Amino acid sequence: MNGAAAAECQISSPGGPTKSWDLYSGRQRGIYLFVLFLVGTSNYVDRNIIGVLLEPIKQEFGVSDTMLGLLSGISFALFYATLGIPVARWADRGDRRFIITISLTIWSLMTVLCGMAQNFWQLALARVGVGMGEAGAIPPAQSLIADYYPPDRRSKAIGVYMMCSMAGYVIGLVAGGWIAQHYGWRDAFFIVGLPGLLLALTTRFLLAEPRHLPQFAIQARSQEPVTATFRALFEKPSYRNIIGAMVLYFLMAYGALLFTASFMMRVHDLSVSEAGALFGGLSAAGAIVGNIGGGIITDYLAKRDIAWTARLPGWGLILALPLYEVAFMAPNIPLMAGALFLASIFLTGVIPPMFSALHAVCGSARRAMAVAIAFFFANLIGLGLGPVIAGSLSDWFAQSYGPADGLRFALMTVMFTFIPSGILMLRAARTLGADLED
């Protein structure tokens, strides 16, 4: 009997576990977290591989940077964001393991279809399908992690899990760039999409769902209406500020920064494989330091003052701005690479505390919904419009400065949204203690 089955075979008793995380040993938690990490990595690979493939797609289909922004942004984010709400509602009531398995199967199949596209609009429709599938990825996964780990260990666990975003960058950019360089961009979609189908089987048989036990099942009488959930969350100033900060964060992190590989190719004359390897490697190294370090530091500081879960990312976001500006102004590759590495530490280091702050105020019955609402606004506005804004600015600047410096100035401009994002997190820190709800 595997760990998931063993946990789910426990029965309720007066002396039994009173919290879901009491069900699992450290080894079981590690296995579940690793499986969720792999699922998240597949999520981010299939989402972000488009970044390193934009240039060959542009050359084959003859489209503008604005159209590339639509392809990598709104075509993915529209359904990803809107479906996230009903899927999260399902996740707060039902079997999160099943939701993740089905979602993983859908986005993997749609990624394969991206490689079969024969024109720009077919590719855009396939990207819509990827977004639809990935709507069931992060909110249910974070909800499970919050049930697997007690609050004083949650930031580090979320930090480990969110490293999947950078792992996805590495595989998507490095492997995707290499495959595109040697075999073409369509094969890149095929090769990263197919393994997800095998991973779906792993999630079905290895993950545990504590709600299968009577004492942790969601009771019908405790399921509040959707309107009540929205009202309870948005009545809290800290939650509103966290949402605003995430929108601006995603505008850069998962929006404008998709053009970083293209920036390296245009400004520093790197090939598609060289740009993918460099950006992917820098992102990976920064993520290891940032996610783990951010999680550990947050858990340490939060034991003394829970407000640090919001205060730490506030200052981290503000300090990231000058590093990115140096990176995009750099006249040579070594200086650019060094600045990007340091910037990526701050960029990824703020994620564990931001989500820990969100979980601290949302309440256990609203975890998936609270995350999904955050991703709805952050992805629809941030991920959806971020690439379009950056691409449109690039086309506008290119009229005066050419395509290389046009993209440079566009990215430098969009980076200034780090400032209001950081300020909103600092504002959330002021009210976090009063808004706490487990």
Side-chain angles (χ1 to χ4, degrees):
M1 181 178 294
N2 60 36
E8 291 173 4
C9 283
Q10 296 184 48
I11 60 174
S12 179
S13 65
T18 59
K19 298 293 185 180
S20 58
W21 48 80
D22 294 329
L23 291 168
Y24 311 112
S25 67
R27 179 177 177 274
Q28 287 174 313
R29 291 173 184 156
I31 292 173
Y32 304 153
L33 185 59
F34 179 66
V35 172
L36 290 173
F37 173 84
L38 292 179
V39 174
T41 299
S42 174
N43 176 358
Y44 283 101
V45 168
D46 291 8
R47 177 191 305 187
N48 292 314
I49 192 173
I50 193 76
V52 77
L53 304 180
L54 289 178
E55 289 299 296
I57 290 171
K58 177 184 177 74
Q59 294 169 11
E60 178 166 338
F61 293 143
V63 294
S64 67
D65 280 352
T66 302
M67 295 299 287
L68 291 179
L70 289 170
L71 177 65
S72 56
I74 197 67
S75 66
F76 173 90
L78 182 61
F79 281 91
Y80 177 81
T82 53
L83 284 178
I85 299 295
V87 170
R89 180 67 171 170
W90 182 16
D92 276 335
R93 296 167 173 246
D95 189 331
R96 292 162 290 185
R97 179 178 64 185
F98 176 75
I99 294 170
I100 292 171
T101 301
I102 293 298
S103 299
L104 174 56
T105 302
I106 292 173
W107 84 62
S108 298
L109 285 173
M110 297 308 297
T111 299
V112 172
L113 289 180
C114 286
M116 301 173 66
Q118 296 303 304
N119 57 57
F120 177 83
W121 295 111
Q122 288 179 5
L123 180 56
L125 285 174
R127 286 288 294 173
V128 169
V130 175
M132 292 173 64
E134 294 194 358
I138 297 177
Q142 285 211 16
S143 178
L144 279 174
I145 291 172
D147 277 352
Y148 293 156
Y149 287 85
D152 61 349
R153 301 182 188 177
R154 199 171 286 158
S155 290
K156 183 179 178 181
I158 291 175
V160 171
Y161 170 70
M162 291 308 296
M163 283 178 61
C164 67
S165 65
M166 288 300 108
Y169 264 119
V170 173
I171 298 173
L173 295 174
V174 178
W178 187 89
I179 295 167
Q181 181 82 20
H182 294 86
Y183 300 101
W185 62 267
R186 286 185 176 82
D187 283 345
F189 281 120
F190 294 147
I191 292 173
V192 302
L194 290 173
L197 300 177
L198 295 176
L199 182 58
L201 294 175
T202 303
T203 64
R204 171 61 185 82
F205 293 106
L206 284 187
L207 287 181
E209 173 53 89
R211 291 176 184 166
H212 289 176
L213 299 176
Q215 67 266 43
F216 298 115
I218 301 297
Q219 303 299 322
R221 62 179 180 273
S222 67
Q223 296 173 0
E224 64 185 6
V226 175
T227 54
T229 297
F230 273 78
R231 184 169 57 252
L233 290 171
F234 281 97
E235 283 178 349
K236 299 182 178 184
S238 53
Y239 185 79
R240 297 196 301 269
N241 283 310
I242 292 169
I243 295 297
M246 285 185 171
V247 168
L248 296 172
Y249 175 90
F250 275 58
L251 191 73
M252 302 156 302
Y254 298 150
L257 287 181
L258 281 173
F259 282 95
T260 304
S262 292
F263 164 82
M264 292 178 175
M265 296 178 213
R266 297 185 197 180
V267 174
H268 296 285
D269 297 320
L270 297 181
S271 69
V272 62
S273 60
E274 290 171 338
L278 179 58
F279 185 43
L282 291 172
S283 298
I288 292 172
V289 178
N291 276 290
I292 300 298
I296 292 174
I297 293 172
T298 302
D299 282 341
Y300 175 79
L301 294 175
K303 290 177 181 178
R304 291 154 177 78
D305 183 359
I306 193 65
W308 275 107
T309 58
R311 191 177 298 129
L312 193 67
W315 287 114
L317 287 164
I318 292 171
L319 293 174
L321 172 62
L323 293 171
Y324 275 110
E325 295 299 303
V326 169
F328 293 127
M329 288 190 298
N332 55 64
I333 294 175
L335 180 58
M336 175 199 68
L340 278 178
F341 169 67
L342 293 176
S344 69
I345 293 176
F346 284 92
L347 184 72
T348 57
V350 302
I351 282 292
M354 286 178 81
F355 279 108
S356 290
L358 183 146
H359 283 294
V361 301
C362 69
S364 59
R366 310 184 193 102
R367 295 198 192 282
M369 183 64 83
V371 174
I373 292 172
F375 275 107
F376 173 81
F377 291 105
N379 283 300
L380 191 61
I381 300 173
L383 177 57
L385 296 182
V388 178
I389 292 171
S392 298
L393 284 173
S394 177
D395 288 336
W396 186 74
F397 280 121
Q399 297 176 18
S400 301
Y401 302 102
D405 281 335
L407 183 55
R408 182 204 301 270
F409 296 143
L411 292 174
M412 290 176 63
T413 300
V414 177
M415 290 302 107
F416 275 91
T417 50
F418 273 118
I419 298 297
S421 181
I423 291 173
L424 286 171
M425 288 305 300
L426 292 176
R427 290 184 60 183
R430 299 174 186 171
T431 57
L432 197 73
D435 290 339
L436 289 179
E437 181 182 356
D438 191 17

